[in-house]
Amino acid sequence: MDRAPHPRPTRLRRNVARLTSAFATIALGATGLAALGGGTATAAAANLAQNPGFESGLSGWTCSAASGTTVASPVHGGSAALKATPAGSDNARCAQTVAVKPNSSYTLSAWVQGSYVYLGASGTGTTDVSTWTPSATGWQQLSTSFTTGAGTTSVTVYTHGWYGQPAYYADDISLTGPGGDPGDPVPGAPSGLKAGAVTSSSVDLSWSPVTGATGYNVYRDGSKVQSVGGTSATVTGLAPSTSYQFQVTATNAAGESPRSAAITATTSAGGDGGGGTVPKHAVTGYWQNFNNGAAVQKLRDVQDQYDIIAVAFADATGTPGAVDFTLDPAVGYGSEQQFKDDIKAKQAAGKSVVISIGGQNGTVSINDSASANNFANSVYALMREYGFNGVDIDLENGLNATYMTQALRSLSAKAGSGLVITMAPQTIDMQSTSNAYFQTALNIKDILTVVNMQYYNSGSMLGCDGKVYSQGSVDFLTALACIQLEGGLSPSQVGLGLPASTRGAGSGYVSPTVVNNALDCLARGTNCGSFKPSRTYPGLRGAMTWSTNWDATAGNAWSNAVGPKVHGLP
């Protein structure tokens, strides 16, 4: 967010030629979105992978969402090969857990055919690896290597394709290196999974015990969300009135079982969960505590369509991580008490008012435990002094996921379940789950209200289908939102952030009609461009704009058009 009178593009402007490295990061991040186990692995003299050529069907392999089968043609060697077909939000991941030795070197290779085919290993105890090919019209060999950690006794090797792409083929998968002791067999898939009590933000699950299991993993909509030692779990951080699919797996030292049969559970209506008391569909607007040529407003003047008002900005102090807020005389308040009274009045009208940290020129740095504690303490002090409902994270110069997570959880412990946490990352920050902003959002899912990514000042970016989209179109909004929606965030935690006018940002302004079309596309599957998501997200939180001041300058054209659309979402 720019405080200058003449907004300028931020460091995010990228051209297509520089997107190759970003896509490689996405490939690494995507391998962690659907961690699957495999069957029992047996050591062989040269190749540790069981049934490496798929001559015994899928024996030893587990494919997500029943995406895999074996075919007699095309094959690289022998009489069969794997064919796996991505569908919807599933990337057709086929995996096997193999016994290995600690502190040992291994080489993994496979022959593959198709578009965007990946080969990798996870659970190495050091650095998990993957490699990929964008297009292989004939058989192409992929190869990578890794070293196991001091306590690593098994690794999971896998292949997968990419969302929206045709079926891929794999054959003659090889893992070479010293074989480990398989020990006990990998447990079987759990049975009897059922849902118990539900709230607007949580679901209780239980299942039957599995012989030989020492733990269980819980999956929600294909992504692992929890590991437990017993046969029950409570999944939290869910959106009200939303249906979720759940599965569980059993684990022991030998590996992870196939997933159980899936069940569906729907959360109740209401606001009893984390993430504050924000409406199901909400409009966020930034209020400028400065004069940069936009209409100067008091909080009482902010258009009623805004459900969350982010006061921009708190500033860094001389204490690492700590922030403070000073009301700018330029906004016209006669006293701080008048400002506080306006906050109370907005809250009485059902609005949330949060303090925003950062902006384009913000220099708040949280990179150790001390600065994380300073941040939490200082933000909480501002909440108590002014009555803010929570905090907005708009750090455009990067953040540390570990310590920002620590800071926000510490703040949550102080403020309680009514805390509102919003985030406004730039587009590059949410291209991959391996990026620090994305990691932070996933780390605090149970207390996070909404991520309003800035779809402006960014140039061209990759969508969830691997294609490049230019800012300023419906496709740019929907294909990039899809990355967050399929990367682990709940629809209720995703909002579209746009400038209120051409003067609100250096680039990326789109008319309210384009914003509304994108909202329809994501929530209803209508008014899409060339990109159409594989499913709809009726629980989508809404939209955000920079700023209420620029919106007022343009006669509130943005909020008058987008506000009713957001509030009318299903």
Side-chain angles (χ1 to χ4, degrees):
M1 312 296 185
D2 197 345
R3 311 189 199 191
H6 303 288
R8 58 188 182 279
T10 67
R11 58 185 174 83
L12 278 183
R13 192 176 296 278
R14 299 286 189 270
N15 56 39
V16 175
R18 297 179 63 188
L19 285 172
T20 302
S21 62
F23 191 67
T25 302
I26 294 172
L28 287 170
T31 62
L33 292 182
L36 288 178
T40 304
T42 57
N47 187 357
L48 304 181
Q50 178 185 348
N51 188 23
F54 302 93
E55 267 67 48
S56 299
L58 294 179
S59 175
W61 296 91
T62 300
C63 296
S64 60
S67 57
T69 186
T70 55
V71 293
S73 178
V75 299
H76 176 261
S79 60
L82 169 69
K83 177 183 179 182
T85 307
S89 60
D90 178 66
N91 62 4
R93 188 177 191 268
C94 295
Q96 178 180 135
T97 300
V98 182
V100 295
K101 289 185 176 180
N103 297 320
S104 301
S105 297
Y106 293 85
T107 298
L108 174 66
S109 66
W111 290 88
V112 301
Q113 187 175 144
S115 300
Y116 300 105
V117 190
Y118 298 79
L119 173 71
S122 61
T124 64
T126 54
T127 300
D128 291 350
V129 296
S130 84
T131 183
W132 63 290
T133 176
S135 178
T137 55
W139 289 106
Q140 176 181 336
Q141 188 176 37
L142 297 177
S143 182
T144 187
S145 60
F146 60 89
T147 300
T148 53
T152 302
T153 57
S154 67
V155 298
T156 298
V157 298
Y158 61 84
T159 64
H160 71 74
W162 195 249
Y163 312 104
Q165 299 297 318
Y168 71 89
Y169 301 88
D171 201 0
D172 297 332
I173 297 175
S174 173
L175 179 67
T176 58
D181 180 5
D184 295 331
V186 174
S191 61
L193 177 62
K194 61 183 179 181
V198 300
T199 71
S200 65
S201 63
S202 66
V203 173
D204 289 346
L205 301 172
S206 63
W207 54 91
S208 301
V210 176
T211 302
T214 58
Y216 300 88
N217 291 332
V218 180
Y219 291 81
R220 190 199 70 218
D221 292 339
S223 297
K224 187 171 79 171
V225 294
Q226 202 171 137
S227 294
V228 296
T231 56
S232 65
T234 299
V235 181
T236 60
L238 308 179
S241 302
T242 302
S243 295
Y244 296 92
Q245 185 185 83
F246 298 99
Q247 294 171 285
V248 293
T249 61
T251 62
N252 62 14
E256 184 178 23
S257 76
R259 298 188 190 189
S260 69
I263 66 166
T264 299
T266 302
T267 52
S268 61
D272 54 313
T277 55
V278 174
K280 178 180 179 181
H281 300 298
V283 179
T284 303
Y286 284 80
W287 175 82
Q288 298 178 183
N289 180 42
F290 50 87
N291 182 359
N292 67 347
V296 175
Q297 291 182 311
K298 295 183 175 67
L299 280 179
R300 70 190 74 145
D301 302 323
V302 173
Q303 228 265 47
D304 192 55
Q305 293 290 346
Y306 292 101
D307 304 289
I308 305 174
I309 302 170
V311 171
F313 296 96
D315 294 304
T317 69
T319 302
V323 298
D324 200 0
F325 174 76
T326 302
L327 191 63
D328 192 331
V331 300
Y333 277 103
S335 68
E336 282 199 345
Q337 188 58 50
Q338 293 177 2
F339 176 67
K340 295 175 183 177
D341 290 344
D342 276 1
I343 292 176
K344 290 180 180 178
K346 283 295 183 182
Q347 292 166 336
K351 315 300 182 184
S352 295
V353 182
V354 300
I355 182 66
S356 183
I357 313 297
Q360 177 176 291
N361 301 325
T363 57
V364 180
S365 180
I366 302 164
N367 50 26
D368 56 27
S369 292
S371 57
N373 289 332
N374 292 337
F375 178 87
N377 291 336
S378 61
V379 171
Y380 186 55
L382 291 177
M383 291 176 63
R384 296 182 67 185
E385 179 180 359
Y386 290 94
F388 295 124
N389 296 93
V391 65
D392 170 71
I393 306 302
D394 181 25
L395 297 175
E396 299 186 13
N397 296 300
L399 55 76
N400 182 299
T402 298
Y403 294 109
M404 179 55 76
T405 299
Q406 177 182 323
L408 293 174
R409 289 210 170 275
S410 177
L411 177 62
S412 176
K414 298 174 186 293
S417 61
L419 177 68
V420 175
I421 301 177
T422 66
M423 303 176 75
Q426 300 170 107
T427 49
I428 193 68
D429 295 321
M430 302 298 286
Q431 284 272 282
S432 165
T433 56
S434 65
N435 289 355
Y437 241 113
F438 212 144
Q439 287 178 14
T440 302
L442 295 175
N443 289 347
I444 62 165
K445 274 192 65 174
D446 56 316
I447 57 172
L448 174 66
T449 306
V450 63
V451 176
N452 293 304
M453 189 176 77
Q454 302 176 39
Y455 291 79
Y456 49 95
N457 291 340
S458 63
S460 300
M461 286 287 161
L462 287 168
C464 67
D465 57 354
K467 297 180 181 179
V468 177
Y469 295 97
S470 298
Q471 68 178 10
S473 65
V474 170
D475 288 337
F476 186 76
L477 305 184
T478 55
L480 269 68
C482 172
I483 297 175
Q484 300 170 62
L485 292 162
E486 296 300 328
L489 293 180
S490 297
S492 65
Q493 294 173 320
V494 176
L496 308 180
L498 283 308
S501 72
T502 55
R503 298 177 65 189
S507 65
Y509 171 78
V510 296
S511 73
T513 300
V514 174
V515 181
N516 289 347
N517 286 345
L519 292 169
D520 276 338
C521 179
L522 293 167
R524 296 185 172 96
T526 61
N527 292 326
C528 299
S530 61
F531 172 81
K532 186 170 183 177
S534 59
R535 56 176 171 152
T536 58
Y537 310 93
L540 192 76
R541 179 68 79 176
M544 171 274 280
T545 196
W546 177 266
S547 60
T548 66
N549 305 74
W550 286 116
D551 187 25
T553 304
N556 290 318
W558 192 91
S559 56
N560 281 332
V562 177
K565 173 62 71 172
V566 168
H567 297 135
L569 290 175

